[in-house]
Amino acid sequence: LYWEGAAVCRHLMQSNAVTGVYLLLEASLGSGSALYRLKRFDECIAEFREAVHQSQVMFRIDRGKHARLLARSLSLLSGALGVTNRIVEAVETRRASVDLWAELSKADSEYYLPELAENLESLSSLLVMVQDYRGALEASIRTVDIYRDLIKENHDLFIHRLARSLLQNSSMLDKEFRHLESLQMTQEAVDIYRILIQKMPDRFAYDLSRSLDQLSSCLIQHEENDLALIAIEEAINLLQIEFNKSPAEYAIDLCLRLCRRAALRLDLGNSDGALADAESVILLLSESMKVDWQGDTTEVLALAREIRDLVQFRSKQKWRGSLEEKIETIRKLLLRSDTMPQ
């Protein structure tokens, strides 16, 4: 239907160029979004490129009137480029959209600031992928600041977005070795999700689990392993409920958190608990041949086997110098934010 509409628009352009271009732009955005949902990404990108081209034409005719259309087209194109791992182009496209949303928000902050915040959040994630951690942190800080302002006007609409941006900001701070600030940001996000889950448990259970997992990682950085264990156990309990509803969607997340708990238990001297967690992961991932899990199980399975081997070495008292190095390697793997699924 979008394509049929586009054909009508092209015919209309012969008699009314401005209206025809505008409607053709909307048709390109609509068909691109439909193709995105169908995961036909090359065709999707082609449609969004056409939309960007048409919106640039409109933008040159009337900058004030058509800036929003160009910003929207660039945002959608960047998202599709990111999904297909064309990261460098996705970053540049997202930067252009951020600049336009920032310009628009000066004229109408209430309407455009949420768009600016979402685009900054996406830009931060893309910059991490090109290892520009300083740029990612700056974008993340701007996002948090915007959401703090927005919740003053509409608390219920934006509070969960603030929590999400706090977690992203925490991850960026951690990469810059600002561990105390990272811990504070994560704790604030956990506190927000605890309030939200009381109102809507089905919607925010996974988010609270994810924030507790990140809190556990922060506490490990501060050598608060007892508190880290408490946090990860609560995260696992919450995620177990989601896993029971949708195993394929949450299996990898659950296994990663079980591995984190196993490493913590091992570090705290609970070898039996660590072995039980490692074997649970191995057993669960052995089902991956039968079930289409959403994610790559290879690294997680290797991690669980490594933990199991360490426990078995310890139980036999076959200490070697390399064992403590292996434990530290596992700990570093578990602390890596890019180990977690996006």
Side-chain angles (χ1 to χ4, degrees), residues 91-115:
V91 168
E92 295 309 310
T93 305
R94 187 67 68 176
R95 284 189 193 278
S97 73
V98 164
D99 290 342
L100 281 170
W101 289 119
E103 182 180 326
L104 287 163
S105 66
K106 292 177 183 177
D108 188 344
S109 60
E110 182 178 356
Y111 191 78
Y112 292 116
L113 271 180
E115 293 283 1

Side-chain angles (χ1 to χ4, degrees), residues 118-257:
E118 288 190 7
N119 277 268
L120 282 167
E121 204 169 354
S122 297
L123 176 61
S124 180
S125 297
L126 288 168
L127 289 171
V128 170
M129 298 174 77
V130 296
Q131 298 184 341
D132 181 2
Y133 299 128
R134 184 62 56 84
L137 177 59
E138 291 173 359
S140 179
I141 289 172
R142 287 178 66 189
T143 305
V144 170
D145 290 342
I146 290 171
Y147 281 132
R148 288 198 191 281
D149 288 337
L150 288 171
I151 63 171
K152 296 174 184 176
E153 303 297 328
N154 194 330
H155 182 276
D156 291 344
L157 180 61
F158 294 111
I159 187 63
H160 73 281
R161 299 185 194 184
L162 173 60
R164 184 182 65 198
S165 66
L166 286 167
L167 287 178
Q168 185 185 53
N169 191 227
S170 168
S171 178
M172 299 304 101
L173 288 165
D174 188 64
K175 290 180 184 295
E176 290 294 309
F177 304 102
R178 293 162 63 176
H179 300 310
L180 179 58
E181 294 170 87
S182 175
L183 175 60
Q184 291 168 342
M185 288 284 183
T186 307
Q187 185 62 65
E188 186 179 354
V190 168
D191 293 342
I192 291 171
Y193 281 128
R194 285 198 190 283
I195 295 171
L196 290 172
I197 200 173
Q198 294 175 5
K199 300 176 181 178
M200 290 178 280
D202 290 339
R203 181 177 176 185
F204 293 111
Y206 175 75
D207 292 310
L208 178 55
S209 173
R210 183 166 62 94
S211 62
L212 285 163
D213 180 65
Q214 193 159 321
L215 178 62
S216 176
S217 175
C218 292
L219 289 166
I220 291 172
Q221 293 280 18
H222 289 270
E223 299 184 357
E224 296 281 359
N225 286 3
D226 289 323
L227 294 175
L229 182 60
I230 293 170
I232 197 62
E233 285 181 340
E234 185 179 357
I236 289 170
N237 291 337
L238 286 165
L239 192 58
Q240 185 70 56
I241 297 171
E242 301 303 308
F243 171 77
N244 292 339
K245 297 176 186 175
S246 181
E249 184 176 359
Y250 295 106
I252 302 301
D253 265 4
L254 179 60
C255 288
L256 279 166
R257 286 166 201 179

